[in-house]
Structures are given as C-alpha cells and as structure tokens.
Amino acid sequence: MTKPSKDIIDKREKLMSMVAEMAKSPSKFSEVMLGHKLFKYNAEYADSRERFLIYRSGRQAGKTMTTAVKTIHWSFFAPILSQDAKEKKEAVVIIAAPTQNQASIMFDRIRTLVSNSDFLKKYIVRSTQTELWVQWLNKGGMTKIYVRATGETGVTLRGYSPHVIIADECAFIKRSILIAFLPSGMATNANVWLTSTPFGKQGFFYEASMNSRPKAEDGLWKEFHVRSIDNPKIANDPLFVEQVRQLSQEEYTQEVEGEFLDIGDALIPYELLMAAYSRKWNPVGNTRYFMGVDVARSGKDETVFLIIEVDDENKIKVVEYHRESQSNLVDVVGRIGELLQKYPLETVFIDETGLGAGVVDLARRRDYPIRGVVFSMSEKSNMYSNIRMIFENKKIVIPQDDKKVLYQLSYLKRQYTEEGKLKIKVDEGTKDDHADALALACLAVNFGGGWYYMFDKDDPRSSDGKGWKAIMG
C-alpha cells in the first residue's frame, strides 16, 4: 500500500483535531457545521457542560437559536455526552413548551439548521412536524428529538425516559407539570435546560433561578442571564428602539431586562393566570361574540380592540385583539365597523371616559351595537370583580402566542377604600389598556356582585343564610 503523502496526513490530522474541538464546543460546531457564529455571551451558554442550566433573558437575545444549536450538537455527539445513551445506542431529547406553537418554534429552528447543512442532513433518519431522528456521527446509534406541548395537565410528556429535557418558555409552564415531568430523566442522568423570559416571582422557573449560581453559591442550577440590549444586532436598531419607547416600566423590566417582577397583592393570582393561559377551548353549544374598546387617551396609550367568544356555559375565549397608536375618533369607529363585518358582534363595550365619548356618539349614529361605559371607580371595581370571578371559575382562555393581555393582567394590584370597596391600582408608567379592553368585553358575562368566602351557614358572618358572604363588589 502506498504511504499517504505528508499533505494528506496533515489534512487528516487537521480534520481529526477539528472534530475533537467541535465535540467539546457547540459554539465551534455551530460555526463549522451550521454556518452560524454565536455571540460571546451565547457561546458561553452553548459550551457549558453543566447538567442543570437556566437561560433567562429578554426578547431577541438569541435564546431559541442558541438552544437549538446546543440541542443539535448534543444529538450528534450523544455517545460522548451520555453514558446511558451510549449503552442503549439511543438518546431521547424532549422539547416542551406551554403550547404546540411555542414548542414548534425551537423545533423548526433545529430541523431547518440540520436540513440546510449539506453534511448533517445525510444523517437524518426521520423528519416530521413533531419528530426528528438523526444518526450519530459515528453511526453507532441515533438521537430522537420530540416536541411536545405541556398543555393544562402535561399528559403528552408521559412515557419518555429523556436524556435531555428542554423546557422552553418555562415561566409559563405550570409548576405541577414540571415537578411531575423532570424526574423522568433521573434514570438517564438527563440534562435539564430551562429557557424563558421571566414572569412574576412565582412558579418553578423563578424558584430555580433563585437556587442558581452565581446568586446561590451552592445552587443546583447554573444560570445565564441575558438582556435584549446585550444583542449587538438590535441594541441600536431604530425599530427596536422605537418599540422599547412604547413599553411600560414593567414591560421593559421583563421583556428587555429579563428580570422578575414582584406582583404581590395581584388582582388575579399567578396560578389563575397560568391556568387560563394553558387551558384548552372546548365550546359548548352556540357561541356569541362581543368586543371591548379602550380608547387611547394620551402619551404612550394605544387604542385596543379586543374580541371574545362566549359559549352557552358562559365560557370565554379571547379570539383576537388589535392595538393602534393614538388615532382620531373617525379612524376608531372605522375600525369598529371593519370588525363588525368580520364578526357577528352582539355588543361593543366602549370606555366613553374622555375621548371615548365622541367615539360612542359617532358609532351610535351609524347604528352600531354600542354600549358606553364611564370608568368611575365604582364601575371599574365592578368590571374587575367580574374578571376575577371569571378566572376563579375557570371560565376563560387567554391567547397563547402573544402575552400582552397576560402581562397587563399580572400588573394589576388590588387595594381597598375606607369603605371596603375594591380599588384597582396601576403603578405609574404601567399600561392597562389591554386589560381594560378585556374587562369591558367581559361585561357581557356577569358572574355576580363580588367575590365570596364560604362559612358554615349558621356562622354570623354568613350574609345570606347559605354559608356565603360577599367580600367585594
């Protein structure tokens, strides 16, 4: 056999050295195999060999892309990274998120990156909308990547023994689901990666963050915290800067800084918001449509049009909503007319305080089904008492792909007047236009005059002789 030339030997050694480097470094693997160079702050996360990882960030920080890169690298080098996978000649990766749409965002990024690689695509064994199976680079086994929505109960996560668990948008996954699911990776010594924008100082994601290094010296988790403005591509982007100007202080704290907000004294507790966010819509009987319109007043306010669908059991689904910068009353009424053509709206509830009065007058002249609502303290108290009861009774489904309504509801806090009446508190600089539009629309469904505590029917605190006492309303 002819001895290879020095040039060929050098090339082989260089190739083997590069493969060895890629095996150790997902960021290098990304650059060579996927044609994507990670920013330094994301390369540190991608290259981390910690078993329990948290990526907490603002929007557009690179969370999805970097975790996709890390997942692809792990999938191809699984026999090096997992002894259990090596012995079984098979590895399992589970990508979980509150909804199928959210889970699919990361999965689609993974599938696209692998499919677009001339080298890696040769190793694809199976590719569907919810599964991607790839051979290992040594062809000694395969990794199966599954994408699953946690939903309301987490039933879709059962039956797996994963080697990697990725909980995306983790702050919006119920704590009970994660507590039940994470132990499924104990036998395989699984890696667990939690990625999310924060949402309130409650829930599993918050607890894990508080028990993470470097905050907690002996913490179980290693956390990477990235702000939106750490991304050099968007920090000076005029569009991003303009969007930031439209954010309230709370929105900026969560969505740009990636920090947790204290939502103590919340009007609607965290658990109720999470339940509405993950609940499925199963309407009973016929459905009707209503709309709430909160008219822009000044400054950063937006006019918000929010439409709900109501079934025969008075269950509610937020169908869609639109927001527009300040516009004149003709434009607002014009938009109402467009939505009346799209939906058979029975009633449009409009805040007629201030500028909204003109909108109500013009809309009535056009014979639109309008009901004006003056935002007195008493009226707003009744509106939000109603909203709270709707959440308490598990009667509402909140949109899952845009968290604007969810965020604003979480910012609302409750206070009481000297007379014991509920007063809605909104911190200075905080927006509530989406929340107000929802509260207006939900006037179509009345859940009574207040919240109630249950006592023994003979208890003197019971005001109706049946064991119930109104405490608000």
Side-chain angles (χ1 to χ4, degrees):
M1 178 181 290
T2 305
K3 183 179 179 180
S5 66
K6 185 177 184 304
D7 183 53
I8 291 177
I9 292 174
D10 288 344
K11 286 182 178 178
R12 286 177 179 174
E13 289 179 348
K14 186 178 180 180
L15 176 62
M16 293 304 294
S17 176
M18 182 177 292
V19 171
E21 186 180 358
M22 287 192 296
K24 295 177 182 178
S25 172
S27 62
K28 184 65 176 179
F29 173 85
S30 177
E31 192 174 347
V32 175
M33 289 294 187
L34 305 175
H36 180 77
K37 184 175 177 61
L38 298 172
F39 293 126
K40 183 180 178 181
Y41 64 85
N42 277 331
E44 292 174 358
Y45 160 65
D47 291 343
S48 175
R49 297 293 288 271
E50 294 274 354
R51 183 181 170 194
F52 299 103
L53 285 172
I54 295 173
Y55 188 108
R56 170 169 60 92
S57 70
R59 299 292 174 194
Q60 301 299 316
K63 166 177 68 71
T64 300
M65 172 60 89
T66 309
T67 306
V69 165
K70 191 171 178 66
T71 304
I72 295 169
H73 173 271
W74 195 97
S75 299
F76 282 103
F77 288 102
I80 298 175
L81 300 171
S82 169
Q83 183 63 31
D84 186 80
K86 181 180 179 180
E87 293 172 359
K88 294 177 179 175
K89 294 182 169 41
E90 181 178 290
V92 174
V93 176
I94 300 291
I95 302 171
T99 70
Q100 194 64 36
N101 284 345
Q102 290 168 328
S104 295
I105 292 172
M106 184 178 294
F107 178 76
D108 289 344
R109 188 72 57 88
I110 291 169
R111 195 170 56 161
T112 299
L113 286 169
V114 175
S115 299
N116 288 346
S117 168
D118 292 335
F119 180 77
L120 296 179
K121 68 182 180 182
K122 300 173 186 176
Y123 291 81
I124 296 176
V125 176
R126 173 181 170 84
S127 179
T128 71
Q129 295 298 315
T130 59
E131 298 179 18
L132 178 66
W133 300 4
V134 295
Q135 272 190 322
W136 297 340
L137 291 182
N138 67 2
K139 296 190 176 180
M142 73 169 65
T143 296
K144 299 178 179 180
I145 305 173
Y146 299 96
V147 58
R148 295 291 183 262
T150 62
E152 195 171 357
T153 63
V155 65
T156 59
L157 304 176
R158 296 172 188 166
Y160 295 98
S161 295
H163 296 84
V164 176
I165 296 171
I166 304 168
D168 193 27
E169 292 295 346
C170 183
F172 301 90
I173 298 176
K174 285 183 176 180
R175 185 179 186 279
S176 59
I177 291 176
L178 289 168
I179 291 294
F181 175 52
L182 294 184
S184 65
M186 290 179 64
T188 60
N189 204 37
N191 292 287
V192 182
W193 307 335
L194 311 180
T195 67
S196 191
T197 330
F199 180 66
K201 292 184 176 181
Q202 298 182 72
F204 189 92
F205 187 65
Y206 172 71
E207 293 168 5
S209 177
M210 292 301 102
N211 185 33
S212 68
R213 291 167 275 121
K215 284 192 293 287
E217 186 176 342
D218 298 322
L220 173 66
W221 303 85
K222 168 68 175 176
E223 182 180 65
F224 291 84
H225 174 214
V226 183
R227 303 171 302 165
S228 300
I229 54 178
D230 291 332
N231 183 342
K233 284 190 174 180
I234 68 170
N236 298 311
D237 184 331
L239 179 59
F240 174 74
V241 173
E242 180 59 31
Q243 288 178 334
V244 167
R245 286 175 179 162
Q246 300 301 316
L247 298 177
S248 68
Q249 182 61 48
E250 281 79 4
E251 289 170 326
Y252 183 87
T253 299
Q254 285 191 145
E255 300 187 49
V256 177
E257 294 288 337
E259 296 287 359
F260 293 97
L261 277 179
D262 187 353
I263 52 176
D265 297 324
L267 174 72
I268 303 171
Y270 172 87
E271 293 79 9
L272 296 182
L273 289 172
M274 288 297 95
Y277 182 68
S278 59
R279 186 173 295 127
K280 290 184 178 180
W281 174 241
N282 297 306
V284 175
N286 297 318
T287 58
R288 301 165 293 148
Y289 294 88
F290 302 88
M291 181 164 69
V293 180
D294 186 67
V295 182
R297 297 173 183 85
S298 60
K300 295 181 180 180
D301 277 358
E302 297 173 312
T303 295
V304 178
F305 309 81
L306 187 144
I307 297 166
I308 63 171
E309 183 178 4
V310 183
D311 73 0
D312 283 348
E313 292 184 348
N314 279 340
K315 295 197 301 288
I316 298 165
K317 178 187 178 183
V318 177
V319 179
E320 68 172 278
Y321 58 88
H322 304 272
R323 55 181 183 266
E324 298 177 354
S325 299
Q326 288 190 69
S327 50
N328 61 53
L329 64 89
V330 175
D331 292 336
V332 174
V333 175
R335 168 64 86 169
I336 292 172
E338 292 174 3
L339 293 170
L340 278 164
Q341 291 181 350
K342 184 175 181 180
Y343 294 97
L345 298 169
E346 291 189 16
T347 308
V348 177
F349 299 88
I350 300 178
D351 167 21
E352 65 173 335
T353 310
L355 298 176
V359 173
V360 170
D361 289 341
L362 181 57
R364 281 175 175 161
R365 289 203 296 270
R366 296 185 182 182
D367 292 327
Y368 292 165
I370 300 298
R371 176 183 160 188
V373 180
V374 177
F375 272 15
S376 64
M377 189 181 78
S378 176
E379 183 63 45
K380 201 159 184 176
S381 171
N382 290 335
M383 284 169 49
Y384 278 103
S385 296
N386 189 49
I387 281 283
R388 169 64 185 249
M389 289 298 293
I390 289 170
F391 275 87
E392 287 276 12
N393 285 278
K394 302 178 181 179
K395 293 286 191 177
I396 187 166
V397 176
I398 295 290
Q400 298 173 328
D401 298 326
D402 188 332
K403 304 182 183 71
K404 197 82 172 181
V405 174
L406 193 72
Y407 279 145
Q408 287 199 4
L409 287 170
S410 74
Y411 303 151
L412 300 176
K413 298 179 181 179
R414 62 182 188 273
Q415 287 185 334
Y416 297 92
T417 65
E418 292 180 357
E419 293 77 25
K421 289 289 186 179
L422 171 70
K423 180 181 179 182
I424 305 301
K425 179 186 177 184
V426 181
D427 291 338
E428 185 176 352
T430 300
K431 295 182 180 180
D432 60 357
D433 38 23
H434 290 68
D436 282 349
L438 174 63
L440 282 163
C442 288
L443 286 173
V445 182
N446 192 340
F447 272 79
W451 308 349
Y452 292 80
Y453 278 153
M454 186 172 181
F455 301 108
D456 183 273
K457 67 178 181 178
D458 297 322
D459 192 304
R461 292 174 293 176
S462 174
S463 57
D464 62 359
K466 298 178 182 178
W468 296 91
K469 178 177 175 63
I471 61 168
M472 194 180 72

